Amino acid sequence: GLLLGTDWEALKGTISADGTVDWKNFFSILRGEQPEYDPIGDVFKAHELPDGTMMITEYMGSSEMVVIPQKISGKRVVAIGEGAFANNQTLQYVSVPSGITSIGNHAFSGCSSLKGVEVPSGLEEIGSYAFSDCVSLESLYMSDGFADAPGKGVAFPYSLQTLGDYA
């Protein structure tokens, strides 16, 4: 999978016996040091935008935990496109790196096993229905600038300008 540098024992240690997750430490360990992803078409499909940056258009993997790459083929990833992860039944945790400013419509809709998502503080847009039908979702965790909150919750970065309908 995409978790080459992950310390699995440390990751397990962030989940208590009652199932409560220390989201800050969980995503910090999950991110680790990830290699640049190359080539396109293996696990991620991507489209080059007019400014030379990349948008992920489809995830074709089956991992339970995914760290989205910051670069694909040497180009900075700035967006997760419409429906890119939609209806993935195995995905449980995803870490969205800094540099991603947009999560498209239906990007993660129907990901029924998705429990936690780490999003960057520079996120500007979450599209309509981006997380609809994510019935297991417990946390949208901001990696920068937010205090830990007990239990389930959602906190958005100050940079967020657009939140689509039923996101």
Side-chain angles (χ1 to χ4, degrees):
L2 297 175
L3 303 169
L4 302 177
T6 302
D7 180 345
W8 291 103
E9 289 305 312
L11 194 62
K12 287 183 211 172
T14 65
I15 303 172
S16 68
D18 69 359
T20 304
V21 179
D22 176 351
W23 292 109
K24 180 178 180 180
N25 287 326
F26 179 89
F27 284 116
S28 178
I29 294 164
L30 180 62
R31 272 192 320 274
E33 288 298 318
Q34 298 298 322
E36 178 178 323
Y37 188 77
D38 201 23
I40 295 176
D42 203 11
V43 176
F44 291 100
K45 284 188 179 178
H47 170 75
E48 187 172 345
L49 300 171
D51 65 359
T53 59
M54 300 296 271
M55 175 175 63
I56 291 176
T57 57
E58 185 179 358
Y59 172 69
M60 299 171 295
S62 59
S63 294
E64 292 178 355
M65 295 181 241
V66 173
V67 177
I68 294 174
Q70 289 186 316
K71 290 184 176 183
I72 293 178
S73 295
K75 297 176 181 173
R76 196 168 48 93
V77 176
V78 298
I80 299 170
E82 184 170 336
F85 288 80
N87 300 313
N88 183 305
Q89 302 302 305
T90 58
L91 184 63
Q92 293 183 22
Y93 303 98
V94 63
S95 178
V96 179
S98 62
I100 301 259
T101 58
S102 174
I103 296 175
N105 298 339
H106 300 278
F108 293 94
S109 67
C111 292
S112 60
S113 298
L114 187 62
K115 295 178 183 178
V117 179
E118 177 188 38
V119 296
S121 61
L123 187 65
E124 297 173 3
E125 177 182 11
I126 297 176
S128 297
Y129 301 95
F131 296 97
S132 67
D133 296 322
C134 292
V135 296
S136 300
L137 189 61
E138 297 174 7
S139 176
L140 282 178
Y141 175 76
M142 300 296 145
S143 55
D144 300 318
F146 291 89
D148 289 331
K152 297 180 181 183
V154 177
F156 296 106
Y158 293 113
S159 60
L160 187 65
Q161 298 171 15
T162 306
L163 182 61
D165 295 336
Y166 308 101

